[in-house]
Amino acid sequence: MKKETEEKLARALTAETTELIPFLPYLLQDLWELGSCPQDMIKLIKKYVPISKDTKILDIACGKGPISIRVAENFGVNVYGFDLLPDFIKRAKEKAREFNVEALCHFTCADANEIVNTETGYDCVIFGGAGDILGNPQETLNKLRGTVKQGGFILIDEAYLSDSSSNDEVNYKNYDYLTQKQWMELFDKCGLKFIEELHSGEDYDFDHDNKVIAARAEELSKKHPDKKALFDGYVQSQLNESADLENSLVGVTWILQKL
Ligand SMILES: C[S@@+](CC[C@H](N)C(=O)[O-])C[C@H]1O[C@@H](n2cnc3c(N)ncnc32)[C@H](O)[C@@H]1O
């Protein structure tokens, strides 16, 4: 794997160093959803995306498949999910069986930067909480745009700076966050119509996630005492990220349409 891809993979899962990558499936084993809000995605699809038996949905960086599986369950359509981590893809397949949607969910281990070149003609693409793995915001929007048909839809889970905040106040920062206005300008520039935004993070129970991750980090520290600082650092990054989403960032789910 390229060094840059590895670094972005680590950062997309709130890890500040690639040394944590082998431990991420263990640290995150108690969580199914890893970033985005499947309920908001479902609400937006229900409201705007015309569904037929031929509708095809792409889920880029699908993680353990929480969005794909709920989309298949709610709409009975085929969903194609891709993620770089084999452990997550394995778990996504198990979950699809558990929810009786394995015939509709097609999960594959692959790099998002490669599949955006080969997966095209979709009715809708989902990009949930995966940060900058496809590049800067403009590159990300253009790559996602390329995967859907004319008139197709793009759902993105992201975060932007709240009105009163600046990037200096963000504790866990992979990259500089844009403001909502900057994102809206980029949508225009990339030929994407903004349709609606839902504020996902407001009711989210970050405490629960932070506690289960901290418990797994403690187990790992006992097993690998030489790496305690690494695992403690991961727990701190999670705390910083959730504090940012409560204080200086606004977590959103957008639905956009390709013009
Ligand atoms: C924050 S998680 C979100 C997962 C899922 N969308 C969800 O909402 O639960 C980010 C995901 O991006 C995946 N990822 C990171 N880099 C990737 C890449 N280059 N190609 C595919 N997936 C990647 C990670 O493995 C991880 O599952």
Side-chain angles (χ1 to χ4, degrees), residues 9 12-13 33-36 61-63 66 83-85 88 110-112 128-129 133:
L9 163 67
L13 287 160
E33 295 162 13
L34 298 176
S36 48
C62 64
D83 199 277
L84 199 52
L85 282 183
F88 287 0
D111 184 343
I133 65 164

